[in-house]
Amino acid sequence: MSNEWRPCPCDIGDRFDYGGRGQEVQVEHIKAYVCKPPASTDKAVIVIHDIFGWQLPNTRYMADMLTTNGYIAICPDIFSGTEAWRPDDLSKFDDGLKIQDARTINKEADAVLKYLKEQCSAKKLRVIVFCWGGVAIHHLMMTYPELKAGISLYGKSQFYQGQSVSQIKYTVREIYIVVCLTKIINSVN
């Protein structure tokens, strides 16, 4: 949260020293971090990173946590190779949001969904988003009916400027503190 002492609303906080259990793969025009559980499953979660990008170890840790609960987890580079925002230059924050518009990710979403369906045989698809992705979740849930549940962790959906969010046919939950993600994801058939 921003205030007069910390004017930037985004902060990495504690950066995990974590290598990950999954692997980086090429998914059409983008790279992605993928982790699969040891047992075969048709359940998958797309993990949309925050403004700090797909390579942040903290986000990969969350993807791996979902995998230990029986989900295929994929964290794609939604920025498509564009450099993630760096918190050392607050003056570029607003410009970064304009370049990395969460409502212009259809090409990346199409590639990820195709990969999950064709390469992983996933049928039960969900999405979890962090911060910047709070806008993306509403866009994705309205655009892709195959996504049956969405969770926004501390995302700011009130900034969504698009179709009415009442058009979403499935569950979207906004959470501003981290809770047991798998319990919520499992609550939707």
Side-chain angles (χ1 to χ4, degrees):
M1 176 177 284
S2 63
N3 58 42
E4 63 186 85
W5 298 284
R6 296 180 72 150
C8 179
C10 295
D11 186 3
I12 288 180
D14 294 328
R15 185 182 180 101
F16 292 176
D17 183 19
Y18 181 75
R21 296 178 44 201
Q23 62 182 349
E24 291 184 11
V25 298
Q26 189 71 37
V27 178
E28 294 186 15
H29 67 287
I30 59 174
K31 291 185 178 182
Y33 174 79
V34 178
C35 193
K36 297 178 182 178
S40 181
T41 184
D42 67 348
K43 302 183 301 183
V45 178
I46 302 168
V47 180
I48 305 291
H49 55 78
D50 60 16
I51 199 161
F52 300 111
W54 72 290
Q55 293 177 314
L56 184 67
N58 306 31
T59 308
R60 291 180 178 202
Y61 176 80
M62 298 302 283
D64 289 349
M65 184 180 76
L66 292 164
T67 298
T68 62
N69 287 278
Y71 290 88
I72 300 162
I74 184 168
C75 180
D77 177 11
I78 293 297
F79 296 162
S80 300
T82 302
E83 184 177 354
W85 181 72
R86 301 287 177 229
D88 58 340
D89 190 354
L90 182 58
S91 68
K92 295 181 181 175
F93 183 75
D94 289 336
D95 291 336
L97 288 178
K98 290 175 189 169
I99 293 168
Q100 295 157 338
D101 185 343
R103 294 162 297 187
T104 60
I105 61 173
N106 287 20
K107 186 175 178 184
E108 292 74 24
D110 290 341
V112 169
L113 289 168
K114 181 179 176 185
Y115 175 85
L116 288 172
K117 292 173 188 175
E118 294 179 5
Q119 302 298 316
C120 302
S121 302
K123 294 181 179 123
K124 298 175 184 171
L125 303 167
R126 284 109 164 96
V127 61
I128 293 177
V129 301
F130 294 91
C131 198
W132 168 90
V135 173
I137 195 155
H138 293 292
H139 173 75
L140 292 170
M141 295 298 289
M142 287 189 292
T143 306
Y144 298 94
E146 61 263 53
L147 294 172
K148 302 298 184 195
I151 298 173
S152 176
L153 293 159
Y154 53 90
K156 301 291 183 194
S157 65
Q158 70 264 26
F159 297 122
Y160 185 74
Q161 305 275 330
Q163 297 171 289
S164 170
V165 293
S166 64
Q167 295 176 2
I168 298 172
K169 296 182 172 97
Y170 300 104
T171 304
V172 174
R173 300 194 186 182
E174 293 181 345
I175 302 167
Y176 297 94
I177 58 172
V178 176
V179 297
C180 182
L181 299 176
T182 53
K183 182 176 180 181
I184 294 168
I185 284 251
N186 284 329
S187 71
V188 179
N189 292 334

